[in-house]
Amino acid sequence: MVISAHRIASHGATEMVTRQTMDHFTAGTSPMQILALTTPGANFASDDAFGLDTVANTLYIRGFNQSQLGVSMDGIPMGTQGFHNWNGLGVDQMAIQENIAGMTLTQGAGAVEMLSAQTLGGAITFTTDDPQDKAGGRVSQTFGSFDLFRTFARADSGILNATGTKFYASYARTAQDLWKGFGDQQEHQANFKLVQPVGEHGKITAIFDYSNFDQYNFMSLTKNMWRLLGRNTTYLKPDYEKAKQYAYYAQNGGIPPGLPAGITNDEVGDFAYDGTQEQRNYLSAVRGDFDLASNITSHTLAYGHISNGVYQGTNPFLISPGSGVLMADQAGHPDVRRLGMTQSFDIKLRHHTIQTGLWYENDRFNYPMRLYEDGQDAAHNSKSDYYAYQATTWYADSFNTNTFQFYIQDVWHLTKGMTLTGGFKSLTQTTHGGTSFDQTSALADSWGTYYSHPASGSLTASNAFLPHFNWDWHFGNHHELYWDIAENMRAYDFGAQSGSGNPWGGLGSSANPAQSVFDASKKTLKPERTWNYVIGYRFNSEFFSGSADFYHTDYINRLAAITSGPTNNVYAAFLNVGHETMNGADVLGTIRPFKGLEITNSFSWNNATYEDSALPYNGTTISIKGKHQVYYPKFMYKANLTYTWRRASFNFNTTYTSRRAMTYTNDEYIPSYWTSNINASYDFGKILFARGMKLSVGVTNLFNSDYIGGVYGAASVSGDDNANLFVAAPREFFGTIAAQF
């Protein structure tokens, strides 16, 4: 796995990863994982080798996680990239990996042209390739550990007529057994893209993408569970009797026989029989790109996105009334409808390039939470029979969000090799909604339902002037110097009331209703903002490439879920936890001592600390001033080696990630770890009717390190009482044979 010399295309605070670099990785590997392994300051972790599990996936770019980055594909806004993505679509569902032509990462202050209501400190853009001019096709087949089977096929029409019409259709299927416990991961994807030139000065592009991601989940753990029970600890399925036994102890206290000393009753309640997720997505868009004049180009885009699925888990704190079993199948049924349009113009005026545009989107989200009975002898089926008429609805949440963004910037070419960019964006987002239905009280006796945090109301995040400035100077053939400054604002998240980390979720207590907490918070809440500053230097030559940059961020109005209130009436709240200050640096160097050999080393340092000295918590206040940001490592080191000889290539990658704070008070840490990977390939060239044939083999987690990878959920203020850690996958082997026709 490699950081290639193609990085010379990078400029300013933007890094670029080409298709050629992506091809060094096992087919189907998440682009987010590739981005992290090839870019300093980026950290990605998961619980599966491909990085496809949206629950466990954790991406950070210079201290900002995937929900704080702007993301787009072919100009389509894609919202946040984590689990429960109600305002967009994750990259592993938006396009088949082989159809992505490249990706860019703006590591600095962001970019005003990024259409996003979440951006606080960076932007990722994905570009899919166009259909080929010549008719042909590609196929590949991957095999691997734990019965992995991945198939990819694509057919290109070539140019069909005198007007230049061309399209491609492609399909990919991934199937693999979980590396621990019961179940598997399965994904089906289909991509279609059509390009229709319109004369010599324009074209229309249409896309349709489909994905169905269906998997049994890995169970999240506390650090104590990982250390005492080991990396293979997961859901109890298929041992149904043990699941019922654990549920009894979870509800009545005590520890089941067979568990070691040190496991707590709270941790017994973290066990469950199983958990699954199914995500179905339909994305379509039509884009028009036209030269209106010799110096004016117009880009118009309309898109629609439908997303639905089932997020299921056995809840050991409920009761199935018909069977009397002390657990029940609880399933959320998300339904998302996004409609949006964008319009932008590029205007060239001698030494200036004016870029301006706007974006509007309406997002409707519904989330009924339904209960299904588990039987005395068997649980409800984990993958079927999730219909409303078969269920009892516990509660339902509904939201409607309208987003509007305008931007304008001027790229001023001051002199040869030097540009100064200045501009701003205006962003407004209003969300109406919350709990639309709740029958917790009516189900308390029969199902054992507990307080469900119903709250509703509207919130608006708005800022008319969010500036961005960038200066970039290329000099002396090999040198580049740049700086970047911007202010960003992040609109409010929304989500199911059972969640946390948003103004509507997980609020209050049975003694202090969620609605009253929401109403009180609404009077004081302000959206999160950042000021980001970057200064950097880059050198590129035939034998050596290097870069170094320093960044500083002032984080204003940081929001978090906190236990608040007086000691005799504590409750969950969503509050401003004060400011945060972040300083960091990235250094990278690549040497090419002779043709075919490339060695890259990079080092990243980040010191992100909170500034609040009187944080309300558990009926009192505590100080987190000077404590390091949760979940992000302070140090990272990456080494990459690639050697190419004729048609053969070999790649080795190793990464060190320092310990990560688990709590706001930094009294618990996720341990540091090393992980390494190797890949090798050989291109056989033309064989029979195939224009090209290539064989690739790879090993992930080469030394079989046992470490915590992804993290999902809000951090605790202190203590190891949140089961939100996912153990990374063990060593796995892969082989791929690919052909072009």
Side-chain angles (χ1 to χ4, degrees):
M1 299 181 182
V2 60
I3 295 177
S4 76
H6 301 283
R7 216 168 256 292
I8 59 175
S10 300
H11 62 88
T14 299
E15 297 285 349
M16 300 183 183
V17 179
T18 65
R19 180 70 246 177
Q20 186 169 352
T21 298
M22 296 176 69
D23 285 339
H24 286 295
F25 293 78
T26 299
T29 300
S30 171
M32 293 299 192
Q33 184 160 293
I34 296 172
L35 184 69
L37 289 171
T38 58
T39 307
N43 173 258
F44 179 90
S46 188
D47 57 7
D48 70 289
F50 277 6
L52 301 181
D53 185 0
T54 55
V55 180
N57 287 357
T58 306
L59 174 71
Y60 276 87
I61 306 293
R62 292 185 172 177
F64 296 103
N65 66 37
Q66 64 257 45
S67 70
Q68 300 167 322
L69 304 170
V71 178
S72 70
M73 182 194 74
D74 295 340
I76 305 171
M78 288 299 175
T80 60
Q81 293 297 290
F83 185 53
H84 288 171
N85 185 356
W86 310 138
N87 52 19
L89 185 58
V91 63
D92 299 305
Q93 280 82 55
M94 69 175 80
I96 299 172
Q97 197 254 43
E98 286 90 339
N99 291 332
I100 296 176
M103 47 185 165
T104 63
L105 167 65
T106 302
Q107 289 179 294
V112 297
E113 69 271 22
M114 171 53 67
L115 304 176
S116 169
Q118 287 75 43
T119 308
L120 280 178
I124 304 172
T125 60
F126 298 96
T127 303
T128 60
D129 58 354
D130 280 347
Q132 301 295 307
D133 290 342
K134 183 178 180 181
R138 289 184 280 154
V139 295
S140 72
Q141 183 63 60
T142 302
F143 301 93
S145 301
F146 305 102
D147 293 326
L148 171 77
F149 188 90
R150 184 181 187 274
T151 304
F152 167 74
R154 168 170 156 167
D156 283 80
S157 68
I159 295 178
L160 297 173
N161 50 43
T163 65
T165 306
K166 57 183 179 178
F167 69 86
Y168 69 71
S170 61
Y171 169 79
R173 175 182 180 262
T174 303
Q176 182 180 30
D177 290 342
L178 299 188
W179 61 267
K180 62 177 179 178
F182 178 93
D184 58 6
Q185 287 180 315
Q186 298 218 25
E187 182 173 32
H188 296 267
Q189 292 177 277
N191 293 166
F192 175 84
K193 188 172 186 179
L194 181 144
V195 174
Q196 175 61 63
V198 181
E200 298 181 357
H201 300 288
K203 67 176 182 178
I204 296 174
T205 304
I207 68 164
F208 175 77
D209 297 331
Y210 165 80
S211 69
N212 188 332
F213 184 63
D214 190 2
Q215 77 162 43
Y216 284 85
N217 293 327
F218 294 100
M219 192 176 82
S220 55
L221 310 175
T222 64
K223 188 169 68 170
N224 183 57
M225 294 167 69
W226 170 52
R227 285 179 167 171
L228 292 180
L229 301 173
R231 77 196 298 182
N232 290 321
T233 304
T234 190
Y235 288 109
L236 300 172
K237 193 171 186 175
D239 194 336
Y240 191 56
E241 291 304 314
K242 179 180 282 189
K244 292 194 295 182
Q245 180 191 52
Y246 276 48
Y248 172 84
Y249 281 96
Q251 293 192 29
N252 294 281
I255 308 297
L259 289 177
I263 294 295
T264 67
N265 178 257
D266 282 347
E267 289 171 328
V268 173
D270 293 328
F271 280 92
Y273 182 61
D274 68 355
T276 65
Q277 59 170 305
E278 182 176 1
Q279 304 172 51
R280 292 180 297 272
N281 291 280
Y282 309 85
L283 176 68
S284 56
V286 177
R287 179 184 176 106
D289 300 282
F290 295 96
D291 296 328
L292 302 182
S294 60
N295 65 331
I296 302 175
T297 303
S298 169
H299 310 282
T300 306
L301 172 71
Y303 63 91
H305 172 211
I306 297 174
S307 178
N308 52 51
V310 180
Y311 297 138
Q312 172 271 347
T314 303
N315 189 330
F317 293 96
L318 295 175
I319 303 168
S320 292
S323 64
V325 172
L326 298 183
M327 57 188 189
D329 192 312
Q330 178 178 332
H333 298 259
D335 183 70
V336 178
R337 299 286 190 273
R338 286 199 304 147
L339 291 173
M341 62 82 60
T342 71
Q343 174 64 57
S344 63
F345 298 95
D346 297 330
I347 306 169
K348 296 181 179 180
L349 301 171
R350 198 174 180 185
H351 299 301
H352 298 264
T353 300
I354 308 298
Q355 299 171 327
T356 185
L358 56 85
W359 166 45
Y360 170 75
E361 179 181 284
N362 176 257
D363 183 354
R364 292 184 296 134
F365 166 62
N366 293 294
Y367 192 84
M369 181 62 74
R370 296 173 183 149
L371 303 178
Y372 302 81
E373 286 213 30
D374 283 331
Q376 188 60 237
D377 300 318
H380 186 279
N381 193 308
S382 302
K383 293 293 188 72
S384 63
D385 295 329
Y386 285 107
Y387 298 101
Y389 73 88
Q390 298 170 313
T392 297
T393 300
W394 183 355
Y395 57 83
D397 299 301
S398 300
F399 292 90
N400 191 292
T401 299
N402 289 286
T403 305
F404 177 82
Q405 179 179 320
F406 166 80
Y407 71 88
I408 186 169
Q409 67 178 3
D410 177 14
V411 182
W412 184 10
H413 302 274
L414 297 170
T415 185
K416 183 178 180 180
M418 185 184 296
T419 60
L420 176 64
T421 301
F424 72 94
K425 65 180 177 182
S426 300
L427 174 64
T428 296
Q429 183 179 92
T430 298
T431 298
H432 303 275
T435 302
S436 56
F437 174 82
D438 186 281
Q439 58 173 347
T440 300
S441 298
L443 302 179
D445 292 335
S446 55
W447 289 87
T449 52
Y450 41 83
Y451 189 68
S452 57
H453 312 281
S456 62
S458 64
L459 286 172
T460 296
S462 182
N463 196 312
F465 186 74
L466 296 166
H468 176 225
F469 300 97
N470 173 274
W471 178 80
D472 191 271
W473 181 31
H474 292 260
F475 61 97
N477 295 323
H478 303 295
H479 306 272
E480 180 186 6
L481 190 65
Y482 58 89
W483 54 255
D484 206 58
I485 302 173
E487 181 185 14
N488 289 303
M489 180 194 73
R490 185 172 188 271
Y492 300 111
D493 279 342
F494 58 90
Q497 57 166 277
S498 55
S500 62
N502 71 82
W504 289 268
L507 301 178
S509 66
S510 57
N512 197 345
Q515 188 63 57
S516 63
V517 176
F518 176 87
D519 293 340
S521 298
K522 182 178 178 179
K523 299 174 183 178
T524 58
L525 277 183
K526 295 180 180 179
E528 296 175 317
R529 291 188 298 117
T530 57
W531 275 98
N532 298 289
Y533 311 85
V534 181
I535 184 169
Y537 167 77
R538 184 179 286 115
F539 176 87
N540 274 306
S541 71
E542 182 180 355
F543 302 104
F544 175 78
S545 298
S547 63
D549 58 9
F550 173 81
Y551 58 92
H552 172 84
T553 296
D554 291 318
Y555 205 137
I556 306 164
N557 296 328
R558 184 164 188 124
L559 301 175
I562 292 292
T563 303
S564 186
T567 54
N568 62 346
N569 185 23
V570 296
Y571 56 88
F574 188 69
L575 302 172
N576 186 332
V577 297
H579 293 359
E580 180 182 338
T581 300
M582 181 162 55
N583 293 296
D586 294 320
V587 179
L588 178 145
T590 299
I591 59 171
R592 293 173 281 273
F594 55 84
K595 184 178 180 181
L597 178 64
E598 182 174 279
I599 303 171
T600 297
N601 288 270
S602 69
F603 177 79
S604 299
W605 164 76
N606 177 282
N607 187 36
T609 57
Y610 302 112
E611 301 298 323
D612 199 321
S613 58
L615 180 69
Y617 176 65
N618 254 1
T620 183
T621 59
I622 60 173
S623 175
I624 58 172
K625 186 176 179 62
K627 301 299 182 182
H628 197 266
Q629 176 182 313
V630 296
Y631 300 157
Y632 189 70
K634 195 170 185 178
F635 303 104
M636 286 187 291
Y637 167 74
K638 302 175 185 180
N640 300 267
L641 180 149
T642 180
Y643 179 63
T644 302
W645 182 73
R646 296 183 180 177
R647 294 182 175 181
S649 66
F650 171 82
N651 308 284
F652 172 77
N653 162 277
T654 189
T655 300
Y656 169 75
T657 302
S658 70
R659 66 178 188 170
R660 292 166 283 171
M662 285 172 52
T663 65
Y664 287 104
T665 57
N666 291 182
D667 63 333
E668 292 283 353
Y669 283 86
I670 302 169
S672 61
Y673 64 90
W674 286 87
T675 186
S676 304
N677 313 276
I678 59 171
N679 253 24
S681 65
Y682 187 82
D683 189 343
F684 293 95
K686 184 177 181 180
I687 296 180
L688 298 177
F689 52 85
R691 290 192 292 115
M693 188 79 71
K694 184 177 181 180
L695 174 67
S696 304
V697 295
V699 184
T700 58
N701 195 359
L702 179 63
F703 302 108
N704 201 27
S705 300
D706 181 4
Y707 66 95
I708 296 297
V711 182
Y712 174 74
S716 298
V717 173
S718 63
D720 178 28
D721 59 356
N722 266 9
N724 56 4
L725 309 179
F726 290 88
V727 182
R731 178 170 51 229
E732 295 189 33
F733 300 86
F734 302 97
T736 302
I737 183 73
Q740 295 186 21
F741 304 96

